[in-house]
Amino acid sequence: MLTRGIANSGVRGTGELLSTVKFMVQTLAAAGELQRDLQRELTYDGLRAAEAKRNKGGRRPAVVAGKVDAVRTAHLEGHAIAALARDHDVSRGAIRTAVADLLSEYTAAAPDAPAPELPVALDNAK
Protein backbone atom coordinates (compact mmCIF):
# COMPACT_ATOMS: atom_id res chain seq x y z
CA MET A 1 0.00 0.00 0.00
CA LEU A 2 2.85 2.31 0.56
CA THR A 3 3.81 2.02 -3.09
CA ARG A 4 0.56 3.67 -4.15
CA GLY A 5 0.92 6.45 -1.63
CA ILE A 6 -1.77 5.15 0.69
CA ALA A 7 -0.38 4.80 4.14
CA ASN A 8 -2.37 3.24 6.96
CA SER A 9 -5.45 5.44 6.64
CA GLY A 10 -7.24 4.25 9.75
CA VAL A 11 -8.65 1.08 8.23
CA ARG A 12 -8.81 -1.54 10.96
CA GLY A 13 -8.72 -5.25 10.71
CA THR A 14 -12.00 -7.12 10.53
CA GLY A 15 -11.43 -8.54 14.01
CA GLU A 16 -11.43 -5.09 15.58
CA LEU A 17 -14.44 -4.02 13.54
CA LEU A 18 -16.48 -7.04 14.57
CA SER A 19 -15.63 -6.58 18.23
CA THR A 20 -16.66 -2.90 18.01
CA VAL A 21 -19.97 -3.80 16.39
CA LYS A 22 -20.54 -6.52 18.99
CA PHE A 23 -19.89 -4.01 21.79
CA MET A 24 -22.35 -1.50 20.27
CA VAL A 25 -25.07 -4.13 19.90
CA GLN A 26 -24.61 -5.30 23.47
CA THR A 27 -24.75 -1.70 24.70
CA LEU A 28 -27.99 -1.05 22.81
CA ALA A 29 -29.48 -4.30 24.13
CA ALA A 30 -28.60 -3.32 27.69
CA ALA A 31 -30.18 0.10 27.20
CA GLY A 32 -33.37 -1.51 25.85
CA GLU A 33 -33.51 -3.89 28.79
CA LEU A 34 -33.06 -0.99 31.21
CA GLN A 35 -35.90 0.89 29.51
CA ARG A 36 -38.23 -2.13 29.70
CA ASP A 37 -37.46 -2.63 33.38
CA LEU A 38 -38.09 1.04 34.12
CA GLN A 39 -41.38 1.02 32.21
CA ARG A 40 -42.53 -2.14 34.02
CA GLU A 41 -41.62 -0.62 37.39
CA LEU A 42 -43.49 2.61 36.61
CA THR A 43 -46.53 0.66 35.43
CA TYR A 44 -46.66 -1.37 38.64
CA ASP A 45 -46.22 1.82 40.69
CA GLY A 46 -49.19 3.37 38.89
CA LEU A 47 -51.33 0.27 39.43
CA ARG A 48 -50.47 0.20 43.13
CA ALA A 49 -51.30 3.92 43.45
CA ALA A 50 -54.66 3.37 41.73
CA GLU A 51 -55.38 0.42 43.99
CA ALA A 52 -54.59 2.54 47.05
CA LYS A 53 -57.16 5.09 45.83
CA ARG A 54 -59.63 2.22 45.32
CA ASN A 55 -59.71 2.84 41.58
CA LYS A 56 -60.34 -0.15 39.39
CA GLY A 57 -58.26 -0.35 36.25
CA GLY A 58 -59.51 -1.32 32.85
CA ARG A 59 -62.25 -0.25 30.53
CA ARG A 60 -65.56 0.89 31.93
CA PRO A 61 -68.45 -1.47 31.31
CA ALA A 62 -70.70 -0.59 28.38
CA VAL A 63 -73.81 -1.57 30.30
CA VAL A 64 -74.04 0.98 33.09
CA ALA A 65 -74.65 -0.18 36.63
CA GLY A 66 -78.24 1.08 36.62
CA LYS A 67 -79.16 -1.09 33.63
CA VAL A 68 -77.38 -4.29 34.64
CA ASP A 69 -80.23 -5.52 36.84
CA ALA A 70 -82.78 -4.88 34.08
CA VAL A 71 -80.60 -6.71 31.54
CA ARG A 72 -80.08 -9.67 33.87
CA THR A 73 -83.80 -9.89 34.66
CA ALA A 74 -84.72 -9.72 30.97
CA HIS A 75 -82.18 -12.44 30.18
CA LEU A 76 -83.63 -14.68 32.88
CA GLU A 77 -87.10 -14.08 31.40
CA GLY A 78 -85.84 -15.51 28.11
CA HIS A 79 -84.95 -12.47 26.03
CA ALA A 80 -82.22 -13.12 23.47
CA ILE A 81 -78.81 -11.53 23.92
CA ALA A 82 -79.01 -9.91 20.48
CA ALA A 83 -82.39 -8.37 21.29
CA LEU A 84 -81.10 -7.03 24.60
CA ALA A 85 -78.08 -5.56 22.81
CA ARG A 86 -80.34 -3.77 20.31
CA ASP A 87 -82.66 -2.50 23.06
CA HIS A 88 -79.81 -1.09 25.15
CA ASP A 89 -77.70 0.09 22.19
CA VAL A 90 -74.61 -1.92 23.18
CA SER A 91 -72.76 -4.87 21.69
CA ARG A 92 -73.72 -8.50 22.29
CA GLY A 93 -70.38 -8.93 24.04
CA ALA A 94 -71.32 -6.21 26.53
CA ILE A 95 -74.57 -8.04 27.28
CA ARG A 96 -72.69 -11.34 27.66
CA THR A 97 -70.35 -9.66 30.13
CA ALA A 98 -73.30 -8.36 32.16
CA VAL A 99 -74.94 -11.80 32.32
CA ALA A 100 -71.79 -13.95 32.25
CA ASP A 101 -72.52 -15.82 35.46
CA LEU A 102 -76.01 -16.66 34.20
CA LEU A 103 -74.84 -18.27 30.96
CA SER A 104 -74.91 -22.06 30.92
CA GLU A 105 -71.35 -22.45 29.61
CA TYR A 106 -70.02 -20.55 32.62
CA THR A 107 -72.11 -22.07 35.40
CA ALA A 108 -70.87 -25.14 37.23
CA ALA A 109 -72.91 -28.30 37.06
CA ALA A 110 -74.30 -29.91 40.19
CA PRO A 111 -71.69 -32.07 41.92
CA ASP A 112 -73.68 -35.30 41.46
CA ALA A 113 -74.75 -34.56 37.86
CA PRO A 114 -73.32 -36.84 35.17
CA ALA A 115 -70.90 -35.35 32.68
CA PRO A 116 -72.60 -34.16 29.50
CA GLU A 117 -72.15 -36.35 26.46
CA LEU A 118 -70.05 -34.75 23.79
CA PRO A 119 -71.02 -35.22 20.15
CA VAL A 120 -68.80 -37.74 18.40
CA ALA A 121 -68.31 -37.65 14.66
CA LEU A 122 -67.25 -40.98 13.20
CA ASP A 123 -65.53 -41.14 9.89
CA ASN A 124 -67.56 -43.67 7.88
CA ALA A 125 -65.54 -43.21 4.71
CA LYS A 126 -63.90 -46.41 3.57
Side-chain angles (χ1 to χ4, degrees), residues 72-123:
R72 292 170 64 84
T73 303
H75 179 70
L76 288 173
E77 292 173 353
H79 290 83
I81 289 179
L84 290 170
R86 281 191 302 273
D87 294 344
H88 293 280
D89 197 30
V90 294
S91 69
R92 291 176 301 193
I95 298 296
R96 280 192 210 98
T97 301
V99 299
D101 59 330
L102 304 175
L103 296 174
S104 61
E105 59 261 20
Y106 296 113
T107 54
D112 57 346
E117 289 190 31
L118 298 175
V120 177
L122 299 176
D123 187 14

Side-chain angles (χ1 to χ4, degrees), residues 26-94:
Q26 288 176 340
T27 304
L28 289 173
E33 187 176 347
L34 177 67
Q35 182 181 7
R36 275 193 311 276
D37 290 343
L38 181 62
Q39 186 172 6
R40 183 179 301 124
E41 184 179 330
L42 291 174
T43 300
Y44 285 135
D45 288 346
L47 289 172
R48 280 189 229 110
E51 185 180 355
K53 291 181 186 177
R54 305 245 188 234
N55 288 344
K56 181 181 175 188
R59 188 174 182 173
R60 293 190 176 142
V63 180
V64 294
K67 291 184 179 181
V68 170
D69 289 332
V71 168
R72 292 170 64 84
T73 303
H75 179 70
L76 288 173
E77 292 173 353
H79 290 83
I81 289 179
L84 290 170
R86 281 191 302 273
D87 294 344
H88 293 280
D89 197 30
V90 294
S91 69
R92 291 176 301 193

